[in-house]
């Protein structure tokens, strides 16, 4: 049967006596519009005797007078080319194939460029392009235009030329060679064959030099284990599409675990086909994207996770390693048995930062002969060694390093003992940093060299063994930057340019392609070699892991947030304002605490009158280091654990607005993401910018429709059981709500008619679509204060819902026994019991944007016809007509319209890269930048659909099947979002529209949306 679950979005909603929640549900705009600021003679107008027409004039003027001047439009004089470049056609976008890797994120890309300006990141879909862009990669184009970038070389903190710096570095290298002093190249993981060859050339000429690889967020345990067994320092490139049973022990593989990028393969097995879908068990401490997607999630301390891993190893391999009392042993045993039964279709992964644990991962997958576990084409994106970095720090502080040259690292910020590293630099004869920004490390080195952005430079990459990628520049360097590789060429006496060096070095990787073809495609798929397995004492590793003891204090579990990652793009306002998929908080990191622990410690979250979320502060102490941070009470957090995100708390070379959060790297001792910590409540209350309690759809019917795989399979031919159509009364008879219209329908079978399909089974909440929409549609950033006031401007939001019941029968039985509103069996108290936030909730993500209703309630109430319906199905906005009455927003059941309270561009009050010429280079010229006082919303990327139509017309052909795309659908890596023309019956979206799982959001309202969803199916 269909789900009758009660879904909730914040803990505060479960308080039946909360007046705040009730007020916010009925108040679309929590603060009055500041009409006094721009209405000149309000008193005389309000006291006059007016007709209804005059009243509407007054209301329209009072809410949007600021737009009147904007209707005139500023004059921008264009300057024509004297000699127009042949390759640039004004108004026509160029696309360049490239790849990116910054030591943390990586992807194969197409870069959209307009008149020489890169403005948008797209995924490269050519054969061999394996890795797609996440939210941070999509946002990286804005980081190119960051005005706080390091612009010129600095020597002893003073501006200098590269030639002067180069001369000084060469002199230091010669001195070190003469005296036998140690030279160290400290870099992030490079994954570049040409760079690694250059470094080998450098070390050959300087035998006193060595190369140390440092990853800010370490995967050293997994690397050490793989190296011990396979003799190669690399990571397995898992193929989740080949796994029917997935068991994850502390690995957020839909997040940043081992680099991420597994969501596409995972989603293939999560969409039910012929009654089958993969089964996913997740054992974890923090609530993660992987835990949110799991069929069975078990909150578990990391100490218990280690024992669970040993238990699974024993069951799968038949070993007799004994484990003491185990938390949730029944679930662990069941998961292990199903994993063993799956055999080659089973897969186990783990994020435990322990070499013994990672050895067991290899042993279990070997025993299963897992098809998803392959040592062909291993990942080359993590190479760091914790031991070597620790030794370097000891050498620096002992004064044993003569010359230190760094690239792509910021150890003063990312090392737990960063201050000791900064002090040690004073003992180094010469320290050099190649850096995008004058960050914490570059600020204290002898020489700071501005490094180019990846969109400004040439490079090559081998992200997986056997796959070769070319990085090509898409714009000339904006500043006087110098690439680390250019420095290596200079220090080795090589007069060639780095471009020539790459080209000369590429022959062995091109697999028969020409250089030009490789640059054009961006990726060359070669033949990957297989890492051959050696021997390891897995039983000894299991026995050692079985001795794990629980920590005396809280377990502090450090992680990376979906938006911020390791913190390299902390000055990117798109990422700062991106709401975290789980907590829905932007502009902050915070301690996540379980409800039970929060009550013991006296920590609280409260929703205040304007819809903002407030939280207590807590002080976390790890060893001698303590940090005070705000608290989020997180349903699903394992009791006895707390979570804290890395990547925040930066201050160097950041705009003041972006200097938010606390630096969790200070607690990252010995590169272990689990620390023993004490927690105490601190004074004060923190104001969060949380969108979770805003624009809620609570109480509006089946917003999320879901069922179990068992019901879905058994009743597949009876969709009314698990996907019921809401009924209404017509002439005293029950009829389907979708058959009753308040409007007269038009014939939409002629021409194109666009629909967007969203599959709740495939959506992981990753947020790539949100950032892609930002970039494509010039969506403004409004800042923490405005987000807190319910004024965020995202055209696309990803709602996150919790539900505590794990079985539908439990839900239904309790509902059927409700009697009245109050008392033990009252529905109000009963719902409260059902949704106890201290339990382990199920999670579902639902992307919501303008639904482009064919019978749109917004269109009928606009007094100036600013919003209307297009022939192709889009609900359109004429911004110049809009006078900001906001009637449309009040009449929208989906709460997807955004009101421009202020001018966000060219306004020093909103310093988010849009008030300087450099930052505005990212603006898409095909979409106007909206001004104050108008409504804006998703346009279904009409500029993209029209371009597709015009391109096909110009080329004298029909639009190809599935050629239409929106920013969100092209960014979606899991296939959750599919866009297209439903009038083309061969299109994928037309077939999805006929799927039995299809339903419309709030379809009982009768709006007939052009966006539809698919019922969520759980393999419980």
């Amino acid at each position: 049967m269909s789900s009758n679950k009660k879904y909730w979005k914040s803990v505060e909603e479960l308080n039946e006596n909360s007046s705040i929640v009730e007020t916010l549900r009925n108040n679309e705009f929590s603060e009055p519009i500041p009409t006094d600021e721009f209405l000149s003679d309000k008193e005389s107008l309000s006291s006059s005797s007016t007709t209804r027409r005059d009243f509407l004039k007054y209301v329209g003027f009072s809410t949007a007078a600021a737009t009147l001047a904007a209707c005139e439009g500023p004059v921008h004089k264009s300057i024509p080319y004297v000699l127009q470049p042949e390759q640039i056609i004004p108004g026509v976008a160029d696309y360049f194939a490239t790849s990116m890797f910054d030591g943390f994120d990586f992807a194969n890309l197409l870069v959209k460029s307009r008149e020489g300006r890169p403005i948008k990141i797209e995924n490269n879909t050519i054969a061999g392009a394996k890795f797609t862009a996440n939210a941070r990669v999509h946002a990286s184009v804005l980081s190119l235009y960051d005005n706080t970038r390091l612009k010129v070389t600095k020597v002893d903190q003073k501006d200098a030329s590269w030639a002067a710096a180069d001369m000084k570095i060469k002199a230091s290298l010669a001195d070190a060679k003469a005296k036998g002093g140690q030279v160290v190249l400290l870099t992030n993981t490079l994954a570049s064959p040409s760079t690694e060859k250059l470094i080998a050339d450098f070390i050959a000429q300087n035998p006193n030099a060595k190369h140390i690889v440092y990853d800010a967020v370490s995967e050293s345990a997994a690397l050490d284990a793989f190296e011990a067994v396979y003799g190669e320092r690399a990571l397995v490139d898992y193929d989740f599409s080949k796994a029917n049973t997935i068991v994850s022990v502390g690995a957020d593989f839909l997040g940043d675990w081992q680099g991420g990028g597994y969501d596409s393969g995972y989603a293939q097995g999560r969409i039910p086909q012929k009654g089958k879908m993969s089964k996913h068990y997740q054992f974890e401490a923090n609530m993660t994207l992987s835990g949110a997607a799991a069929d069975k999630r078990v909150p578990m301390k990391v100490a218990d996770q280690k024992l669970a891993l040993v238990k699974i190893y024993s069951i799968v391999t038949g070993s007799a390693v004994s484990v003491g009392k185990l938390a949730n042993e029944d679930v662990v045993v069941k998961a292990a048995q199903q994993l063993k039964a799956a055999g080659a279709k089973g897969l186990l992964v783990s994020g435990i930062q322990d070499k013994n644990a990672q050895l067991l991962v290899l042993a279990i997958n070997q025993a299963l002969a897992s098809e998803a576990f392959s040592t062909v084409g291993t990942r080359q994106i993590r190479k760091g060694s914790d031991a070597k970095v620790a030794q370097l720090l000891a050498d620096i502080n002992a004064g044993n390093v003569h010359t230190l040259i760094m690239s792509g690292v910021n150890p003063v910020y990312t090392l737990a003992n960063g201050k000791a590293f900064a002090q040690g630099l004073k003992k180094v004869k010469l320290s050099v940093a190649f850096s995008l920004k004058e960050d914490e490390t570059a600020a204290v080195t002898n020489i700071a060299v501005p490094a180019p952005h990846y969109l400004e430079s040439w490079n090559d990459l081998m992200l997986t063994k056997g796959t070769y990628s070319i990085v090509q520049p898409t714009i000339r360097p904006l500043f006087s930057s110098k690439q680390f590789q250019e420095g290596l060429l200079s220090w080795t006496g090589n007069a060639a340019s780095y471009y020539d060096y790459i080209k000369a070095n590429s022959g062995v990787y091109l697999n028969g392609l020409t250089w030009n073809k490789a640059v054009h495609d961006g990726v060359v798929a070669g033949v990957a070699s297989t890492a051959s397995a050696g021997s390891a004492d897995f039983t000894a590793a299991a026995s050692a892991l079985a001795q794990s003891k629980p920590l005396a204090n809280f377990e502090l579990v450090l992680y990376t947030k979906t938006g911020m990652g390791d913190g390299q793009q902390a000055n990117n306002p798109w990422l700062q304002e991106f709401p975290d998929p789980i907590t829905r908080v932007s502009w902050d990191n915070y301690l996540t605490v379980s409800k039970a622990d929060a009550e013991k410690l006296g920590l609280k979250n409260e929703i205040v009158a304007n819809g903002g979320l407030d939280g207590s502060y807590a002080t976390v102490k790890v060893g001698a280091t303590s940090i005070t941070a705000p608290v989020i009470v997180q349903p699903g957090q394992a009791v006895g654990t707390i979570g804290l995100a890395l990547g925040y708390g930066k201050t160097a070379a950041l705009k003041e607005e972006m200097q938010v959060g606390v630096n969790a790297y200070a607690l990252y001792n010995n590169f272990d993401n689990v620390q023993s910590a004490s927690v105490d409540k601190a004074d004060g209350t923190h104001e969060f910018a949380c969108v979770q309690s805003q624009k809620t759809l609570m109480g509006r019917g089946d917003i999320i429709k879901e069922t179990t795989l068992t019901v879905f399979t058994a009743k597949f031919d009876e969709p009314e059981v698990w996907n019921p159509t809401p009924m209404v009364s017509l002439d005293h008879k029950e009829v389907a709500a979708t058959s009753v219209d308040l409007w007269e329908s038009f014939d939409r079978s002629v021409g194109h008619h666009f629909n967007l399909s969203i599959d709740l089974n495939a959506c992981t909440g990753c947020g790539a679509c949100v950032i892609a929409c930002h970039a494509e549609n010039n969506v403004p950033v409004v800042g923490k204060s405005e987000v807190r006031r319910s004024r965020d401007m995202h055209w696309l939001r990803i709602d996150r819902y919790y539900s505590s019941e794990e079985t539908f029968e439990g839900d239904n039985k309790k509902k059927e026994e409700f009697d009245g509103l109050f008392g033990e069996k009252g529905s109000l108290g009963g719902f409260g019991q059902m949704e106890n936030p201290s339990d382990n909730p199920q999670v579902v993500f639902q992307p919501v944007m303008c639904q482009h209703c064919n019978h749109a309630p917004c269109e009928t109430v606009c007094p100036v016809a600013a919003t209307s319906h297009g022939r192709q199905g889009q609900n359109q906005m004429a911004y110049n007509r809009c006078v900001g009455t906001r009637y449309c927003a009040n009449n929208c059941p989906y709460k997807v319209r955004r009101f421009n309270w202020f001018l966000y561009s060219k306004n020093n009050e909103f310093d988010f890269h849009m008030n300087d010429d450099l930052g505005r280079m990212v603006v898409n010229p095909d979409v106007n930048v909206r001004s104050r006082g108008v409504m804006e919303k998703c346009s279904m990327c009409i500029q993209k659909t029209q371009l597709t139509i015009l391109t096909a017309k110009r080329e004298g052909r029909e639009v190809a099947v599935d050629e239409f795309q929106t920013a969100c659908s092209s960014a979606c890596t899991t296939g959750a979002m599919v866009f297209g023309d439903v009038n083309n019956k061969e299109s994928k979206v037309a077939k999805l529209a006929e799927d039995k799982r299809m339903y419309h959001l709030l379809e009982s309202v009768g709006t007939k949306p052009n966006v539809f969803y698919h019922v969520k199916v759980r393999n419980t």
Side-chain angles (χ1 to χ4, degrees):
M1 61 182 62
S2 71
S3 167
N4 285 318
K5 289 184 180 181
K6 175 190 176 186
Y7 292 94
W8 42 280
K9 297 173 78 179
S10 65
V11 174
E12 183 73 15
E13 288 185 27
L14 305 181
N15 180 0
E16 61 188 80
N17 298 316
S18 175
S19 60
I20 294 297
V21 172
E22 191 60 33
T23 300
L24 291 172
R25 283 180 184 169
N26 298 300
N27 186 5
E28 168 68 6
F29 300 100
S30 58
E31 293 190 6
I33 187 167
T35 57
D36 294 342
E37 294 179 18
F38 55 86
L39 188 61
S40 60
D41 193 10
K42 181 178 180 181
E43 288 74 17
S44 61
L45 280 170
S46 59
S47 63
S48 64
S49 175
T50 64
T51 64
R52 180 175 179 275
R53 184 186 298 273
D54 292 332
F55 171 74
L56 283 176
K57 289 179 181 177
Y58 162 62
V59 172
F61 182 73
S62 67
T63 54
T67 64
L68 296 181
C71 292
E72 302 264 329
V75 175
H76 294 285
K77 294 183 179 180
S78 59
I79 303 173
Y81 288 111
V82 177
L83 293 173
Q84 181 180 327
E86 290 183 9
Q87 63 270 34
I88 294 180
I89 302 174
V92 177
D94 293 311
Y95 290 84
F96 297 90
T98 189
S99 294
M100 76 86 68
F101 178 55
D102 61 7
F104 191 75
D105 291 313
F106 49 92
N108 304 120
L109 308 172
L110 293 178
V111 180
K112 180 182 180 181
S113 180
R114 282 294 300 270
E115 287 75 58
R117 297 179 296 115
I119 62 170
K120 179 77 167 50
I121 299 298
E122 302 281 1
N123 291 315
N124 191 347
T125 56
I126 197 170
K130 296 183 61 174
F131 300 112
T132 52
N134 60 22
R136 297 185 296 269
V137 175
H138 278 287
S140 65
V141 68
L142 182 61
S143 295
L144 169 67
Y145 302 117
D146 183 353
N147 202 35
T148 65
R149 283 177 55 186
L150 184 58
K151 298 178 177 65
V152 295
T153 300
K154 294 196 172 186
V155 176
D156 297 326
Q157 285 73 51
K158 296 179 181 178
D159 292 356
S161 66
W162 161 249
D166 190 37
M167 190 180 299
K168 196 168 184 177
I169 295 168
K170 286 178 177 176
S172 182
L173 292 173
D175 185 56
K177 193 172 185 179
K179 296 178 179 177
Q182 187 178 158
V183 175
V184 176
L185 302 179
L186 179 65
T187 72
N188 55 6
T189 300
L190 297 167
S192 167
S194 294
T195 308
E196 288 168 358
K197 186 173 185 296
L198 259 179
I199 289 175
D201 294 344
F202 177 81
I203 293 175
Q205 292 186 23
N206 298 273
N208 55 324
K210 62 181 178 180
H211 178 212
I212 296 177
V213 180
Y214 167 48
D215 296 322
V217 180
S218 174
E219 291 290 352
S220 193
L223 290 165
D224 291 344
F226 191 85
E227 189 173 22
V229 177
Y230 292 94
E232 177 187 343
R233 196 163 185 79
L235 297 172
V236 178
D237 188 31
Y238 298 94
D239 186 350
F240 281 79
S241 67
K242 296 180 179 178
N244 291 340
T245 301
I246 300 165
V247 178
S248 170
V249 183
D252 182 17
F253 56 85
L254 295 180
D256 295 328
W257 173 77
Q258 294 191 3
Y262 295 114
D263 46 356
S264 179
Y266 173 80
Q268 290 179 39
R270 298 298 291 169
I271 299 174
Q273 308 239 345
K274 298 179 180 178
K276 294 183 179 180
M277 62 181 287
S278 62
K279 176 84 171 183
H280 174 192
Y281 287 91
Q282 185 82 12
F283 303 93
E284 62 182 12
N286 296 340
M287 175 69 83
T288 66
L289 292 182
S290 302
D295 296 303
K296 181 64 178 179
R297 177 185 180 272
V298 180
M300 186 178 280
K301 287 185 175 181
V302 178
D304 292 328
Q305 291 175 30
K306 293 178 179 179
L307 301 180
L309 189 59
V310 176
K311 187 74 174 179
I312 294 170
Y313 168 77
S314 298
I315 292 173
V316 171
T317 63
S319 301
V321 179
S322 61
V323 182
K325 180 62 179 173
L326 186 62
N328 300 105
E329 185 166 357
D330 56 335
V331 184
V332 174
V333 170
K334 184 178 179 181
Q337 290 172 343
Q338 291 193 9
L339 189 64
K340 185 175 183 179
K345 292 295 183 180
L347 173 65
L348 180 134
V349 293
S350 177
I352 299 172
Q353 296 299 314
D354 184 298
K355 182 179 177 181
N356 290 323
Q358 295 301 324
L359 283 170
L360 294 192
V361 172
L362 302 178
I364 291 169
N365 286 312
Q366 282 183 2
L368 294 170
S370 172
E371 294 176 6
F373 174 91
S374 172
T375 59
V376 178
T378 52
R379 288 191 171 199
Q380 306 293 305
I381 45 86
R382 299 287 187 271
K383 292 289 185 74
S385 169
D386 295 348
K388 290 182 179 179
V389 173
Q391 183 59 49
L392 171 64
L393 187 60
D395 289 344
I396 287 174
N397 283 298
N400 295 333
V401 176
H402 183 285
T403 303
L404 176 64
I405 302 174
M406 296 172 281
S407 175
V409 295
N410 184 9
V412 175
Y413 166 69
T414 57
L415 281 175
N417 46 357
K419 290 182 179 177
F421 186 91
Q423 289 296 319
L425 285 180
K426 297 176 181 178
K427 301 178 182 179
V428 176
K429 292 284 196 303
L430 183 71
S431 56
V432 183
F434 286 78
S435 176
L436 269 173
K437 305 171 79 67
E438 193 173 6
D439 55 29
E440 289 81 357
T441 301
V444 295
T445 53
N446 302 123
I447 297 175
V449 183
H453 192 270
Y454 77 92
L455 293 173
E456 301 172 314
S457 52
W458 285 99
N459 204 358
D460 61 359
L461 296 172
M462 189 167 284
L463 301 175
T464 58
K465 207 167 185 180
T467 303
Y468 186 67
S469 305
I470 303 291
V471 180
Q472 67 167 318
T474 58
I475 189 173
R476 290 178 64 88
L478 298 173
F479 307 116
S480 300
S481 54
K482 192 61 68 170
Q483 209 167 343
F484 171 60
Q485 291 86 345
E486 294 177 273
L488 288 169
L489 285 166
S490 174
W491 307 328
T492 54
N494 193 328
S497 68
Y498 187 48
Y499 167 81
D500 292 331
Y501 189 89
I502 296 171
K503 188 175 180 180
N505 193 46
S506 66
V508 295
Y509 305 110
L510 293 184
N511 200 26
L513 293 181
T514 64
W515 168 254
N516 286 345
K517 177 66 173 172
V519 173
H520 174 271
D521 293 351
V523 178
V524 179
V527 179
S529 58
T530 303
S532 54
S535 60
D537 193 343
F538 296 124
T539 304
S543 298
L545 202 64
Q547 305 304 312
S548 301
K549 303 295 182 186
L551 301 178
N553 298 317
F554 279 91
E555 283 185 358
L556 170 64
V557 183
L558 301 170
Y559 68 100
T560 54
K561 277 178 68 174
T562 304
M564 195 50 59
D566 64 349
Q568 290 188 57
Q569 295 192 74
N571 205 47
N572 191 311
W574 289 353
L575 295 176
Q576 288 284 7
E577 191 148 297
F578 172 69
D580 181 74
I582 300 294
T583 64
R584 307 296 287 134
V585 173
S586 61
W587 294 100
D588 258 315
N589 66 339
Y590 34 77
L591 295 166
T592 55
V593 183
S594 69
K595 181 74 181 298
D597 289 331
E599 289 175 348
K600 289 178 185 177
L601 296 167
L603 304 172
K604 296 180 180 179
N605 283 157
E606 294 178 330
I607 297 177
V608 295
N610 68 351
L613 179 71
D614 288 353
S616 305
Y617 281 102
T619 299
V620 180
K621 189 173 184 181
V622 175
T625 306
S626 61
I627 282 178
T628 299
V631 170
I632 288 288
V633 179
Q634 176 61 58
Q637 182 80 26
V639 176
T641 69
I642 52 176
L644 183 61
L646 301 164
Y648 287 80
K650 288 172 70 75
T651 56
L654 259 68
K655 293 186 177 182
E656 185 178 352
E657 291 82 358
M658 260 68 85
Q659 296 177 22
V660 296
V662 296
N663 183 9
Y665 282 112
L667 307 177
Y668 193 34
N669 294 331
N670 301 317
F671 304 100
D672 192 343
N673 68 331
V674 181
Q675 301 287 332
S676 176
S678 62
V679 183
D680 297 293
K681 184 178 180 181
D683 295 333
T685 300
H686 184 79
E687 295 184 346
F688 287 106
C690 178
V691 301
Q692 189 57 58
S693 59
Q694 304 164 8
K695 293 176 274 295
T696 176
L697 301 182
M698 283 291 293
R700 299 299 300 276
D702 273 340
I703 295 172
I704 302 293
K705 287 190 179 184
E706 61 174 34
T707 187
T708 63
L709 183 62
T710 303
V711 173
F712 176 74
T713 305
K715 302 288 185 179
F716 180 76
D717 293 323
E718 302 175 55
E720 64 275 5
V721 174
W722 46 269
N723 185 15
T725 301
M727 310 297 285
V728 295
S729 177
L730 179 66
D731 296 331
H732 307 289
K733 295 179 182 178
E734 270 205 343
V735 298
T738 52
S739 67
V740 180
D741 287 340
L742 294 177
W743 291 269
E744 186 176 332
S745 294
F746 294 94
D747 178 13
R748 301 194 181 277
S749 61
V750 179
H752 302 296
H753 189 188
F754 298 120
N755 272 202
L756 176 65
S757 168
I758 301 176
D759 195 325
L760 300 183
N761 263 54
C763 179
T764 64
C766 71
C769 54
V770 176
I771 303 299
C773 177
H774 247 294
E776 175 67 31
N777 295 295
N778 302 330
V779 176
V781 175
V782 301
K784 180 176 181 179
S785 177
E786 292 298 294
V787 171
R788 182 172 166 80
R789 289 180 169 88
S790 309
R791 296 176 181 173
D792 65 293
M793 295 297 292
H794 295 103
W795 284 11
L796 189 167
R797 71 177 190 267
I798 303 179
D799 287 338
R800 183 268 298 131
Y801 291 97
Y802 293 136
S803 181
S804 293
E805 287 293 328
E806 294 189 14
T807 64
F808 294 95
E809 288 306 313
D811 256 336
N812 296 330
K813 186 173 184 297
K814 185 162 285 190
K815 285 172 180 287
E816 288 165 3
E817 293 176 354
F818 285 163
D819 183 11
L821 291 176
F822 305 101
E824 291 184 6
K825 290 192 175 182
S827 60
L828 293 179
F831 276 129
Q833 293 169 17
M834 290 168 64
E835 310 303 333
N836 185 348
S838 63
D839 290 339
N840 178 30
Q842 287 188 340
V843 185
V844 65
F845 297 107
Q846 184 178 53
V848 180
M849 67 294 288
C850 175
Q851 302 291 291
H852 296 273
C853 311
N854 287 320
H855 294 170
C858 57
E859 296 169 12
T860 58
V861 296
C862 180
V864 293
T867 181
S868 59
H869 213 71
R871 179 76 189 176
Q872 297 168 344
Q874 294 115 323
N875 175 262
Q876 298 171 348
M877 284 293 303
Y879 296 121
N880 280 356
R881 293 186 65 89
C882 179
V883 295
T885 62
R886 300 182 293 167
Y887 295 167
C888 56
N890 287 322
N891 217 37
C892 175
Y894 306 105
K895 304 307 170 196
V896 290
R897 289 176 168 263
R898 305 288 178 260
F899 183 67
N900 260 299
W901 290 86
F902 298 101
L903 179 67
Y904 299 114
S905 179
K906 301 183 182 179
N907 186 341
N908 290 334
E909 293 297 320
F910 299 92
D911 193 9
F912 304 117
H913 296 4
M914 288 297 110
N915 61 355
D916 61 73
D917 289 337
L918 182 64
R920 285 194 296 273
M921 285 178 71
V922 82
V923 168
N924 181 1
D926 293 330
V927 181
N928 69 332
V929 177
R930 284 76 60 193
S931 188
R932 179 181 184 175
V934 302
M935 274 289 173
E936 60 179 77
K937 62 165 192 69
C938 162
S939 67
M940 212 174 259
C941 291
I942 189 169
Q943 71 279 3
K944 289 175 71 72
T945 56
Q946 289 305 108
L947 176 63
T948 302
I949 293 168
L950 293 172
T951 300
K953 184 177 180 180
R954 187 176 65 249
E955 295 175 358
R957 60 176 177 84
E958 290 186 355
V959 177
V961 176
D962 298 327
E963 186 177 354
F964 288 111
Q965 290 288 349
T966 59
C968 56
S969 66
S970 63
C972 184
T973 59
T974 63
M977 290 184 172
V978 177
F979 179 79
D981 179 7
V982 288
N983 284 345
N984 183 343
K985 298 308 177 184
E986 298 300 314
S987 68
K988 189 174 182 181
V989 75
K991 295 173 183 176
L992 289 170
E994 301 300 322
D995 192 280
K996 294 179 180 179
R997 286 200 295 136
M998 187 277 286
Y999 76 97
H1000 292 105
L1001 191 58
L1002 301 181
E1003 53 195 347
S1004 59
V1005 178
T1007 54
K1008 302 217 179 268
N1010 283 313
V1011 177
F1012 58 85
Y1013 296 82
H1014 289 267
V1015 173
K1016 175 127 181 133
V1017 180
R1018 295 189 190 273
N1019 192 358
T1020 54

